[in-house]
Amino acid sequence: MDDQRGIVDFFRRRDQWQGEQTRIFNRLLNRLCCYAERETNLREKVRARHVFSTITGDDSFPEKNPQWEDWFQLWYALDYLNIRGYRHLDGYLHKYRTDLTDKELRMIASLMTSYLSVFRLQIDEESGCSMAREFFRGQDAGDLVLGLNGLEEGSPLYLLRPVKVGVYHVPAGPAVPVTRKQAKAMNEWLVSMYQAEWRQRTDESFSWRVFMQHWGVGLIHWLDRVHGEKEQKGR
């Protein structure tokens, strides 16, 4: 009988390593959100909620859908520009840079370039990995390898914020299934907002990433609106 004791189970070790990277990331994200909550005064928080409600088109989001509070906290920590024009993510990095590990610094760098959007998911037949491509950009967007579990089967579109963590991209915050009807409405809204932003720009450095980090959270408006329409039809 062959001796298998010297064979290294690469896939098991990779999964264990990836699991540890994901735990480190989740702890880092939690500390970042706590920092944003702790370091700002009431006036700044009121201003942030006003900006959030303006982008999402709803000023009663906590009462209407409790999950919106999760979206707000993540947006507040990662994307919101305070009255001085800085993100809390920038402030956290500036204050704790010397205390962060190289792994955490790489994760923060990935967070800085991430944004919320709709992604089309499919399984790669050769590797068996979940692949994602941003829905709104079509062929202009590359494929991402996702480390996702527990997603609803039969729903190829998801609203999520993928962040490179270890060998995979993992979602920062919720990953919510999106219907084609919702995606179409989201796309029409984004196109109109992008054109309006572009007309106001005097330079050519306006990137899709910068645009989505500001307006991407507005996509959650269509999640709640379509759900509400379904509820009314069922009455």
Side-chain angles (χ1 to χ4, degrees):
M1 183 174 65
D2 294 336
D3 189 353
Q4 302 291 321
R5 289 176 296 178
I7 297 178
V8 177
D9 189 338
F10 169 77
F11 295 105
R12 182 174 64 85
R13 289 196 174 185
R14 183 196 63 184
D15 291 343
Q16 290 176 343
W17 180 83
Q18 180 64 39
E20 179 59 24
Q21 304 308 300
T22 303
R23 286 189 288 272
I24 293 173
F25 173 70
N26 289 333
R27 290 195 295 266
L28 175 64
L29 194 59
N30 182 64
R31 294 202 306 270
L32 179 57
C33 290
C34 290
Y35 166 84
E37 177 69 20
R38 183 180 66 249
E39 294 292 321
T40 50
N41 57 36
L42 179 60
R43 182 179 180 182
E44 188 75 69
K45 293 173 184 176
V46 171
R47 177 180 182 271
R49 289 191 178 273
H50 173 71
V51 173
F52 184 83
S53 64
T54 300
I55 296 174
T56 59
D58 197 331
D59 59 1
S60 61
F61 66 89
E63 296 80 12
K64 191 173 183 181
N65 187 339
Q67 190 184 50
W68 281 36
E69 183 66 23
D70 297 332
W71 294 112
F72 170 77
Q73 294 297 338
L74 195 64
W75 169 83
Y76 185 55
L78 301 180
D79 298 324
Y80 168 69
L81 292 175
N82 62 24
I83 56 176
R84 295 178 297 174
Y86 292 100
R87 295 184 295 178
H88 294 304
L89 178 58
D90 302 321
Y92 182 85
L93 178 60
H94 177 75
K95 185 172 184 177
Y96 296 107
R97 185 182 185 89
T98 57
D99 299 325
L100 296 170
T101 66
D102 289 342
K103 291 179 181 179
E104 290 173 328
L105 287 172
R106 286 194 293 270
M107 292 174 185
I108 286 181
S110 185
L111 275 171
M112 285 182 166
T113 58
S114 68
Y115 55 83
L116 185 68
S117 188
V118 173
F119 289 82
R120 186 189 303 276
L121 273 59
Q122 63 182 26
I123 302 298
D124 181 74
E125 295 182 357
E126 292 185 4
S127 65
C129 295
S130 296
M131 307 297 293
R133 172 169 294 194
E134 190 174 357
F135 175 77
F136 303 122
R137 299 179 65 193
Q139 298 301 318
D140 294 333
D143 290 327
L144 305 177
V145 182
L146 294 179
L148 298 175
N149 295 310
L151 297 183
E152 293 184 15
E153 297 182 1
S155 179
L157 298 177
Y158 274 84
L159 179 65
L160 55 87
R161 184 178 189 138
V163 180
K164 182 68 178 299
V165 176
V167 296
Y168 296 127
H169 284 76
V170 300
V176 182
V178 174
T179 67
R180 292 187 180 277
K181 180 179 179 181
Q182 290 171 324
K184 180 180 178 181
M186 292 173 177
N187 185 59
E188 292 174 352
W189 177 73
L190 280 179
V191 168
S192 66
M193 298 308 300
Y194 188 84
Q195 292 175 345
E197 284 276 338
W198 182 263
R199 286 193 294 268
Q200 295 177 10
R201 295 275 171 165
T202 58
D203 58 77
E204 297 181 357
S205 61
F206 184 51
S207 70
W208 178 255
R209 174 185 62 82
V210 172
F211 169 75
M212 290 300 289
Q213 285 181 337
H214 180 77
W215 292 104
V217 74
L219 298 175
I220 68 176
H221 169 79
W222 278 270
L223 296 178
D224 193 77
R225 186 181 69 172
V226 174
H227 291 166
E229 290 175 355
K230 290 180 179 179
E231 291 175 359
Q232 290 177 2
K233 290 180 181 179
R235 291 178 181 176

